[in-house]
Amino acid sequence: MQNRIVIFDLDGTIYQNSVFHRGYLRTLVAGTWAEPLEADLVRLAEAIFAGRELDMNRFYRRGRAEAATVPELVQALRKRVLPGMTYAEALHADDVVYLGDAWAVLAYLGDALGCLDGDRANEVYRLTRLQMEQAGMHGDRGLYEAIMRLEQRCRVVLLSNSYEETVREFLRQLGFAGAFREICSSANKPYGMIASLQVLDPALLARPEALISIGDHAFNDLMPISAIGGQTLWIDPYPDIHEPEYTWCVHTLAELAAFLDTIS
């Protein structure tokens, strides 16, 4: 019997991009009142990723901030952190966001500036993704091979919030098209993560202690599995940020590949 069931996130977990925030922020403010703030927003985002400003891996109250400059924005957002918010509480709070990865940070800044109203959030995301694809996306061969070896020892599931076509195209671009035999798309993590696994195969949840969830966004990828008794591996590309709870942690794709070879 396979000993472990390993659940992978996709973006930010098996693929990392450390500069996409610049294109996102340029697209975010283009044609808006905040266009002159672009350079300051890039510096702010990089300060957040470096652990020098705000706190990643915390819950924050969402909403428009009365701010005309980036220093005013920072001052307003500092007051919105919710350090006492629990995972269970956050699941039922519709005005709360978790700064669990770079995408969440960028969207939070854009939302606070009023630059993501209506369909603009989806459009900025789409255009940023297009820019990333045009710049070239390359998968880590060592990680691919480690996943293929893992498939021989454990049950492996890719669980993504993206649509199935998006997931498969993403994997194709990375050269990971054959890496995952089981793929669950549109998983609605964290809210629908457990339900998605149940639909895929109820047996996946029969032994929660056998589960290992691997991801970079603790609220989406780790907390749902931890809450039912599973273990977690947090992918952290920003070593100096505030840390969530996890079982194990790695910082690079090479470290992730090495860790996979220890799972049995």
Side-chain angles (χ1 to χ4, degrees), residues 19-28 124 128 131:
V19 297
F20 81 91
H21 62 282
R22 298 170 189 168
Y24 181 101
L25 291 170
R26 182 168 55 252
T27 304
L28 171 75
V124 171
T128 304
Q131 293 166 14

Side-chain angles (χ1 to χ4, degrees), residues 7-10 159-161 186-193 196 214-215 219-221 224:
I7 303 165
F8 280 85
D9 173 49
L10 180 56
L159 200 67
S160 173
N161 281 349
S186 301
N188 189 30
K189 298 184 291 184
Y191 311 98
M193 184 176 191
S196 293
I214 300 177
F219 184 47
N220 285 357
D221 306 318

